[in-house]
Amino acid sequence: MNRPKQPIMVTKPFLPQKEIFMKYVDEIWERDWLTNQGPLHHRLEDALKHYLQVENLTLTVNGHLALEIAIRGLGLTGEVITTPFTFASTIHSIAICGLKPVFCDIKPDDLTMDEEQIEKLITEKTSAIMPVHVYGHPCNTERIAQIAQRHGLKVIYDAAHTFGVRKDGKVLAQQGDVSIYSFHATKLFHTIEGGALVYQDSALKQVFDDYKNFGIHDEEHVAYVGGNAKMNEFQAAMGLCNLSHIEEFVSQRREITLRYREHLEGVPGLRLFYPDKEPGIAYNYAYMPILIDREAFGLSRDELHAVLKKKDNIVARKYFYPIGTEYDCYRELKDKSRVHVAEAAGRDVLALPIYNGLSLEEVDYICECILAQHR
């Protein structure tokens, strides 16, 4: 394959057949109901509960506000232990709610929170742990649950990458007090923008619904200082269209992942990840991250990223980089953090293109370009 005229992006949103989406749009026009928990919103909420086999699910306008609602709805205070190796939203949700993020290092094998470091960070101000299932790779949920129970802490999982991932037959988002999804356009399953909370305690349903609607409980009562996080009907329509394609999405991405592995496994200086080979894990193949060892490969992550973009028209992503302790707004916390594994991962990680519609010929080309730089 020759150098493509258009860049091969790290991801692209899937768009369903326009005719199918427009049937839902016609319904919206007929009802003149655009937002505020409309019929399509309820239909998507029920469809997701059925697909995920969960009893409690609340839809939101995006995944970030789902995190904020979880924090406020659980009444968290003081400090929340989280990971610096995540998207900005995870950490910001803690800080914007007036709490202090405390950074825990990650494990080198799967880049999720190092559960053996958590208890060292717990103080009398700690109210919760917020781990991240990085790239959909499950955290050690059993160990984290034991720690949280021993210290009387809540657990909120950022499960933004895990749609469809199951552990021992159960959807991964059933772990913890609350798990949140992101349904952003770049995700495996998307509603243009969107998110959801999944939780065990059915009493939280009304609390979360109130918080996402300015704290309004009913026409005459405002229970909380809430915000506006309601999913609109157009988002719900997109979700209903895309939900029917999920098994197809996962199958296609699995094929793409296996093709990458066929080319890149065993290459000195390139490290791949295999969450699908963990016992009991049904993976969603949503991401294709690699770690690059400069000494063994011959180029650093930054050098390879630049060459792929400029020479080969391949737009990979430094994801996650910079890590949270490098943000200007959290620099005062950096000196108190010991996150050496996360720092190394942030320096070396590169997310390769993967999306539904990426051809195997394009995967071959990407791998050829990467291998051409190996020294």
Side-chain angles (χ1 to χ4, degrees):
M1 176 177 171
N2 296 324
R3 185 181 190 272
K5 294 181 179 180
Q6 298 297 322
I8 300 177
M9 305 302 292
V10 68
T11 187
K12 286 184 180 180
F14 174 85
L15 289 174
Q17 291 183 3
K18 187 184 295 184
E19 295 77 12
I20 297 176
F21 181 73
M22 291 307 297
K23 289 181 180 179
Y24 288 111
V25 173
D26 289 341
E27 290 185 36
I28 295 172
W29 247 256
E30 290 170 6
R31 284 188 288 262
D32 198 22
W33 193 340
L34 304 184
T35 187
N36 280 36
Q37 312 237 96
L40 296 183
H41 169 284
H42 286 297
R43 198 185 307 179
L44 178 60
E45 198 169 83
D46 289 341
L48 287 170
K49 285 194 290 187
H50 176 75
Y51 174 75
L52 298 169
Q53 297 181 323
V54 298
E55 294 184 4
N56 302 303
L57 183 145
T58 296
L59 290 174
T60 57
V61 69
N62 57 54
H64 175 80
L65 288 179
L67 280 168
E68 286 192 28
I69 289 168
I71 291 169
R72 298 185 191 280
L74 292 177
L76 302 187
T77 60
E79 299 175 349
V80 175
I81 297 170
T82 191
T83 166
F85 195 72
T86 184
F87 186 59
S89 175
T90 313
I91 308 165
H92 288 347
S93 69
I94 298 168
I96 207 167
C97 289
L99 282 65
K100 179 183 176 181
V102 175
F103 294 112
C104 181
D105 207 356
I106 61 176
K107 296 180 292 187
D109 58 337
D110 62 12
L111 309 183
T112 65
M113 183 181 286
D114 186 350
E115 64 276 3
E116 298 305 320
Q117 304 299 318
I118 294 174
E119 288 190 284
K120 300 176 185 177
L121 302 171
I122 295 173
T123 71
E124 69 278 359
K125 296 181 180 179
T126 308
S127 61
I129 307 167
M130 188 183 287
V132 179
H133 300 301
V134 179
Y135 311 125
H137 199 144
C139 299
N140 188 336
T141 55
E142 293 84 359
R143 180 80 175 107
I144 292 172
Q146 292 170 358
I147 294 169
Q149 185 176 17
R150 181 158 58 246
H151 294 274
L153 304 177
K154 298 293 185 181
V155 178
I156 300 174
Y157 278 105
D158 185 332
H161 291 180
T162 70
F163 192 81
V165 177
R166 284 175 164 76
K167 184 175 183 179
D168 298 326
K170 294 183 179 180
V171 64
L172 188 59
Q174 291 184 16
Q175 301 295 327
D177 294 280
V178 183
S179 291
I180 72 96
Y181 285 124
S182 169
F183 300 149
H184 183 266
T186 58
K187 294 294 189 287
L188 173 72
F189 167 76
H190 79 84
T191 60
I192 307 173
E193 288 271 7
L197 304 98
V198 174
Y199 42 96
Q200 306 299 321
D201 184 359
S202 59
L204 289 171
K205 173 64 174 172
Q206 188 64 59
V207 175
F208 291 157
D209 281 348
D210 290 352
Y211 265 109
K212 78 174 186 179
N213 186 32
F214 304 101
I216 298 172
H217 184 71
D218 56 37
E219 292 183 356
E220 298 181 355
H221 300 89
V222 179
Y224 311 105
V225 179
N228 184 6
K230 301 183 297 294
M231 176 180 283
N232 65 60
E233 290 293 88
F234 292 93
Q235 290 177 288
M238 183 63 75
L240 288 166
C241 289
N242 289 340
L243 188 58
S244 63
H245 293 283
I246 285 299
E247 302 307 325
E248 172 191 342
F249 292 165
V250 174
S251 178
Q252 288 178 0
R253 289 181 184 231
R254 180 179 183 275
E255 189 176 16
I256 291 168
T257 299
L258 294 181
R259 190 63 155 248
Y260 271 121
R261 290 175 180 174
E262 181 181 330
H263 287 293
L264 301 180
E265 278 181 330
V267 176
L270 297 185
R271 181 179 166 205
L272 282 62
F273 294 87
Y274 301 88
D276 52 330
K277 295 185 179 182
E278 293 286 330
I281 300 302
Y283 187 52
N284 64 6
Y285 302 93
Y287 293 88
M288 185 61 209
I290 60 173
L291 291 180
I292 300 160
D293 182 327
R294 179 178 184 177
E295 295 302 317
F297 184 73
L299 266 71
S300 69
R301 184 277 310 277
D302 288 350
E303 291 168 333
L304 179 59
H305 175 268
V307 168
L308 292 176
K309 185 176 182 180
K310 183 176 181 179
K311 177 177 177 291
D312 304 311
N313 219 9
I314 299 167
V315 183
R317 185 179 178 189
K318 305 173 188 179
Y319 189 65
F320 303 102
Y321 175 83
I323 65 170
T325 47
E326 299 297 330
Y327 296 176
D328 290 342
C329 49
Y330 300 121
R331 283 193 180 276
E332 72 276 9
L333 302 177
K334 180 179 180 180
D335 291 342
K336 300 178 182 179
S337 303
R338 298 292 180 266
V339 291
H340 303 304
V341 179
E343 289 170 351
R347 180 191 65 229
D348 297 337
V349 71
L350 191 65
L352 301 180
I354 185 167
Y355 53 86
N356 295 98
L358 182 69
S359 70
L360 295 182
E361 182 183 16
E362 289 172 313
V363 175
D364 293 341
Y365 170 75
I366 294 165
C367 293
E368 288 170 7
C369 293
I370 292 172
L371 294 174
Q373 301 304 317
H374 183 251
R375 301 171 186 171

